[in-house]
Amino acid sequence: MRSSKPPLARWVPLLPLLAALLALSTHSASAYPLDGYERTGIRRLWAYSEVQRGQLPGPDLSPGARLSTAAIRLQLDGATLPTPQSRPASTAMSERLAGHLTLDGFTAHDLPADPQLQAGLEEIFRRRSSTYSVALLDITNRQHPRYAGVRADSRAAPGSIGKLIVMTGLFDALARAYPDPATRVRVLREVEIVADQFVRSDSHDVPIADPTTGRLEHRRIREGDRFSLYEWIDHMVSPSSNAAASTVWKEAMLLRHFVRQYPPSREQENQFFARVPLPDRRELALRMLAEPLQRAGLRDGDIRVARMFTSRARELVTPDGHSYGSARGLLAWMIALEQGRLVDAWSSLEMKRLLYFTRDRYRYASAPRLENAAVYFKSGSIYSCRSEPGYKCGKYEGTVANIMNSVAIVETPALPAPGQTQRVYLVAMTSNVLRRNSAWDHREIAGEIDRLIESLHP
């Protein structure tokens, strides 16, 4: 079900309190995506700005979460590698890569391990579970990226990390229909989607804000809730709503099917699901996620998302399917993002903005050492328990499965002083350590990896 307004005019402008937003202090107005409210219409941004002003209850943002929209950039877009003749002999970049590919062209599979970084990473995981898989890329010196990995090609269930692939599919469908980025912004902002059976069922709460009443509540998405396409993506990425993920995936399918006739009416959407056979719906759903990854240089075994995130959506589109991802594959996705090769440069930058962590930090992103860092982050967990004598199973402490996945782009400090080096690195990590709090373990490892990167750039 969706709004009955004409296409591209289905968003009701949220003008009240806009004057207050323009008068925000530097502390809160300099936070992205919080300063993106006027551009995107994502009401969470208004609410979290009000939290920073003390007008609504909620946590203070970390210093690293206060960048402006304009301060966020792609780190590898358009840069070039040195030629073999000008390149220091000590660099780990292979001769095959140097001089033949640009930094906006290499993949995670092109890079040999840097001896110093590799030794440090192996030391971090020397006494840890063999279920850990990690891939790390230091791009502090953009012309000499350093790679290291530990069991980087081991596959694991991606969990909520797969929502990044759904976001990529949506932006690809959007670019196919509308080459002009300004039109894409209008679609994302103005098309309003009404929650339907695809949201059944989900346990994640999302922030629901109303600038006209000044209210902010956190609850599960219910059928009948109305959000713009931008807001659905934000709900999928920020609080990791499964209901939002299935809805965004569905809308991406409809966008690929109807193209510039998107959004369809409720009747047209119902006809699509009634007339298109289930195998064809499933084929479209999988193909539209795989195609932009293939164009960006990812390999077939890097990452695959094959099942929707809610039970009802799986019945209607993806009743079966095996999803997987490796640390190197997840790193490949982040590299392509920074290169501007996920769909196109505009889409890559917009997706990076949507990943910018502007909420209370948790898991990997909550490491104290990252407080002043800009963190672009997504995490996913799958845990299950079986009763065991003497052990009380809890959240992220599963006894049957305890999968925890983290991907992070870290830029520290978020705003370097003149002449100060900003350390920039990309890390992907998966684990399945039973009977341990994996959220706390990932937080601890995040601090150790940050110390390792700092040791390379004193």
Side-chain angles (χ1 to χ4, degrees):
M1 182 177 180
R2 57 196 65 238
S3 170
S4 60
K5 298 176 187 177
L8 303 186
R10 295 184 173 180
W11 176 74
V12 179
L14 300 172
L15 296 179
L17 297 180
L18 184 56
L21 280 175
L22 297 176
L24 288 178
S25 66
T26 302
H27 170 83
S28 59
S30 62
Y32 185 86
L34 303 192
D35 74 338
Y37 167 68
E38 184 178 0
R39 174 176 175 269
T40 66
I42 298 174
R43 288 167 288 186
R44 176 183 74 86
L45 310 185
W46 164 81
Y48 282 25
S49 293
E50 293 292 281
V51 169
Q52 302 313 301
R53 295 179 64 230
Q55 301 303 304
L56 289 173
D60 270 342
L61 291 178
S62 300
R66 299 171 187 170
L67 288 181
S68 66
T69 305
I72 296 175
R73 65 186 182 91
L74 300 178
Q75 295 287 348
L76 297 174
D77 183 20
T80 58
L81 291 169
T83 63
Q85 292 76 22
S86 65
R87 183 171 153 269
S90 60
T91 184
M93 185 64 67
S94 68
E95 295 295 338
R96 179 177 65 82
L97 178 61
H100 295 281
L101 294 176
T102 61
L103 272 183
D104 58 2
F106 75 89
T107 76
H109 302 281
D110 292 316
L111 301 169
D114 175 86
Q116 191 175 3
L117 186 62
Q118 183 68 30
L121 191 65
E122 289 179 357
E123 179 61 25
I124 290 173
F125 289 93
R126 184 165 59 88
R127 290 190 174 93
R128 287 190 161 93
S129 167
S130 61
T131 67
Y132 274 102
S133 171
V134 61
L136 174 65
L137 182 68
D138 174 16
I139 54 173
T140 301
N141 183 340
R142 296 193 338 169
Q143 289 192 321
H144 302 292
R146 295 179 170 190
Y147 169 79
V150 174
R151 294 178 289 274
D153 295 311
S154 298
R155 289 182 181 178
S160 288
I161 296 290
K163 292 164 185 173
L164 300 178
I165 310 307
V166 174
M167 178 170 65
T168 306
L170 184 282
F171 274 89
D172 182 58
L174 194 61
R176 288 169 180 267
Y178 301 103
D180 175 34
T183 305
R184 299 182 213 173
V185 172
R186 288 204 305 273
V187 172
L188 290 166
R189 178 186 174 118
E190 297 176 7
V191 171
E192 185 180 71
I193 308 301
V194 181
D196 59 14
Q197 58 184 327
F198 270 71
V199 305
R200 303 180 207 154
S201 57
D202 188 12
S203 61
H204 295 77
D205 288 348
V206 303
I208 298 177
D210 186 349
T212 61
T213 63
R215 292 187 59 191
L216 169 65
E217 64 175 323
H218 291 77
R219 63 167 174 81
R220 300 176 188 179
I221 294 175
R222 298 191 290 250
E223 290 186 57
D225 285 337
R226 294 172 177 264
F227 304 110
S228 71
L229 201 49
Y230 251 137
E231 289 179 311
W232 280 107
I233 300 170
D234 187 62
H235 286 326
M236 174 179 71
V237 174
S238 182
S240 201
S241 165
N242 289 335
S246 289
T247 299
V248 171
W249 196 344
K250 178 197 72 173
E251 293 302 316
M253 291 174 60
L254 295 174
L255 187 50
R256 279 290 295 265
H257 181 77
F258 288 97
V259 197
R260 294 204 175 195
Q261 299 304 310
Y262 177 87
S265 66
R266 182 182 181 184
E267 180 181 2
Q268 289 173 319
E269 179 180 331
N270 290 340
Q271 289 176 351
F272 170 81
F273 283 98
R275 295 177 180 176
V276 177
L278 177 59
D280 293 343
R281 297 199 298 270
R282 183 178 184 276
E283 190 276 334
L284 172 61
L286 301 184
R287 173 166 48 86
M288 58 159 300
L289 297 192
E291 287 175 346
L293 302 183
Q294 293 167 353
R295 292 201 312 274
L298 274 73
R299 298 181 179 180
D300 290 341
D302 282 340
I303 186 167
R304 180 177 188 262
V305 179
R307 297 195 74 191
M308 286 198 163
F309 293 84
T310 54
S311 57
R312 183 57 177 151
R314 287 193 288 269
E315 292 173 359
L316 293 171
V317 181
T318 56
D320 53 31
H322 176 55
S323 300
Y324 56 77
S326 68
R328 197 194 299 263
L330 295 170
L331 178 65
W333 185 91
M334 288 187 284
I335 291 173
L337 180 82
E338 291 288 10
Q339 293 169 331
R341 293 196 300 130
L342 281 180
V343 184
D344 54 29
W346 181 88
S347 300
S348 295
L349 181 58
E350 198 64 22
M351 286 189 278
K352 186 174 181 180
R353 289 169 177 165
L354 285 159
L355 280 175
Y356 184 50
F357 214 56
T358 55
R359 53 164 294 179
D360 49 318
R361 293 184 174 181
Y362 60 93
R363 302 179 190 174
Y364 189 100
S366 66
R369 283 184 61 91
L370 303 185
E371 183 179 9
N372 293 314
V375 181
Y376 308 83
F377 176 71
K378 190 76 188 77
S379 182
S381 66
I382 303 172
Y383 65 93
S384 59
C385 298
R386 180 172 48 229
S387 178
E388 293 185 3
Y391 182 80
K392 184 179 180 181
C393 191
K395 200 172 186 180
Y396 316 131
E397 298 176 348
T399 59
V400 177
N402 197 38
I403 295 170
M404 177 67 72
N405 303 327
S406 297
V407 296
I409 299 168
V410 179
E411 301 170 351
T412 183
L415 288 173
Q420 182 181 19
T421 297
Q422 183 185 51
R423 300 187 301 277
V424 182
Y425 58 95
L426 290 60
V427 58
M429 183 166 61
T430 70
S431 65
N432 187 21
V433 187
L434 303 181
R435 302 175 189 84
R436 285 189 60 87
N437 189 313
S438 55
W440 283 102
D441 284 351
H442 277 226
R443 167 190 166 110
E444 182 181 76
I445 291 169
E448 295 182 30
I449 288 176
D450 193 70
R451 290 188 193 93
L452 171 61
I453 298 297
E454 184 180 40
S455 72
L456 301 178
H457 306 281

